Amino acid sequence: MTIEKIVIGTRGSKLALWQTNWVRDRIRTFYPDMEVEVRIISTKGDRVLNVSLPKLGEESKGLFTKELEEAMLDRQIDLAVHSLKDLPTELPPGLHIGAISEREDVRDALVARGGITSFDDIPEGARVGTSSLRRQAQILAARRDLILDPVRGNVDTRLGKVDSGEYDAIILASAGLRRLGLEGRITQYIPREFMLPAVGQGALAIETRSDDSAINEVVGKLDHEPTRQACRSERALLKGLGGGCLVPIAALGIIEGDRLSLKGLVARADGSEIVRGEAEGPRGEAEVIGLRLAEDLLERGAGRVLNR
C-alpha cells in the first residue's frame, strides 16, 4: 500500500459527520499509520431548506451528492460518504460505489409528543411531519384523517418541532437516530409490514473514483457483502421503475443463506393506490431479481401509478 493520506468528503450535518467519522475510524483499524482527513463540503440540499423536496422536482437530483462528486472528480477528495438512500442509481461517469457498509435498523421511527405511544394512538387531525412521499403515501393509505406537512432540516431541528408543539409527531429513519445516540427519542419502531423503507435505507455508501485501484482496495475492507447484495436488488428495482428518491417507491431486500427475497411497492402520493410485489432468487442474482420485480410491478399497474 503506497497511500499515505486519504481525504474524505462529507456534508456538515451532525449525522453526516458521524457517518464519515465511522468510516474514518474503520479505515484506521485496517491502516493505523495512514493519515485520514475529513473535509466538509456544503451541498445544495444543505443550503436550500425552505422548499420541500417534492417541490424541487428535477432540481432534487443529486441534491445531497453533486458537490461531493464534483470534488472527487476534481481530485480534491478521494472518497465521499453518503446515506445510500440519498445516492441516485445513475452515478457520474468515472465514479462508482466502492463499498456498502453493514446495514443499521432499516425501519422508520415515530417520534411523538407526550401522550402518544404508537402510530395508532395519534389523534384524528393531528399534524405529522415528513418530507418523504414514500412515507406520506403509506401513512395516508392507513390514516387519511392525519394532516401531513413537509419538514426539512437536520435531526435536531426536526425533533425541536415536536418538542415545541409545531408537530404532534414526525417520521424519521431509525438508523440516523440510533447512530446519533437518540434512540431514546423513538416512540415506536414502525413495523416494516406497515411502512416499507426507502431503497438503501440504513446503509452507508462509500463513493470513489472507478479507476483509483489503491483507494478502492482500502474502502473495499469496509464492504458488507450481504448488505451490498440486498441493496443492489433494491436499487435495480428503483432503476427498473425509472424512479428516484422523490417517487413513492419502497423496497427491502433480505438475505437468508444463499437466497435473496425482495419486497417492493409503488404508490400514489395520496395513498389511494398501492401496487405491491415480491420476488426472490439466488443472492448472486441481486440485480436480476430487482429488475424482475420492477417488470412485474409495471405489468400490474405501477407505470400508471407513477405517471400520475
Side-chain angles (χ1 to χ4, degrees), residues 197-254:
V199 168
Q201 186 158 311
L204 303 183
I206 304 173
E207 191 177 16
T208 61
R209 291 183 291 271
S210 308
D211 63 356
D212 197 330
S213 57
I215 292 293
N216 284 311
E217 181 182 341
V218 171
V219 303
K221 302 280 190 183
L222 280 63
D223 192 62
H224 187 252
E225 192 268 344
T227 300
R228 173 181 279 274
Q229 297 290 21
C231 291
R232 282 180 67 199
S233 71
E234 296 167 19
R235 287 171 65 81
L237 168 65
L238 183 62
K239 186 175 182 179
L241 292 171
C245 63
L246 297 184
V247 179
I249 295 173
L252 179 61
I254 296 177

Side-chain angles (χ1 to χ4, degrees), residues 3 9 11 24 51 69 84-85 123 148 158 162-163 180-181 189 210 216 247 257 266 271 285 308:
I3 300 176
R11 296 165 57 205
R24 177 201 62 194
V51 182
E69 291 172 334
L84 181 58
K85 65 184 180 65
L148 301 187
R158 299 186 194 200
V162 176
D163 296 337
L180 291 173
Y189 289 96
S210 308
N216 284 311
V247 179
V266 176
E285 298 180 5
R308 287 180 177 177

Side-chain angles (χ1 to χ4, degrees), residues 135-155:
R135 290 172 180 145
Q136 173 183 308
Q138 294 182 85
I139 291 171
L140 290 176
R143 295 285 306 271
R144 303 196 70 81
D145 59 296
L146 299 177
I147 298 171
L148 301 187
D149 284 330
V151 57
R152 294 284 312 279
N154 60 38
V155 172

Side-chain angles (χ1 to χ4, degrees), residues 191-202:
R192 297 178 307 197
E193 295 74 21
F194 174 75
M195 187 175 290
L196 205 60
V199 168
Q201 186 158 311

Side-chain angles (χ1 to χ4, degrees), residues 31-104:
Y31 304 96
D33 296 328
M34 185 180 293
E35 182 182 353
V36 184
E37 176 188 338
V38 172
R39 186 171 300 172
I40 295 174
I41 296 174
S42 175
T43 69
K44 185 176 181 180
D46 299 309
R47 299 188 296 271
V48 181
L49 296 174
N50 60 341
V51 182
S52 66
L53 296 181
K55 289 184 178 180
L56 286 170
E58 285 296 306
E59 294 182 43
S60 66
K61 289 185 177 179
L63 193 65
F64 299 107
T65 61
K66 183 180 178 182
E67 288 83 354
L68 289 160
E69 291 172 334
E70 289 174 345
M72 202 165 1
L73 290 170
D74 289 341
R75 298 188 177 271
Q76 297 173 26
I77 61 174
D78 297 305
L79 56 99
V81 180
H82 311 281
S83 293
L84 181 58
K85 65 184 180 65
D86 293 334
L87 199 61
T89 55
E90 294 286 348
L91 302 183
L95 300 180
H96 77 150
I97 298 176
I100 296 178
S101 71
E102 184 172 4
R103 217 167 197 171
E104 241 289 2

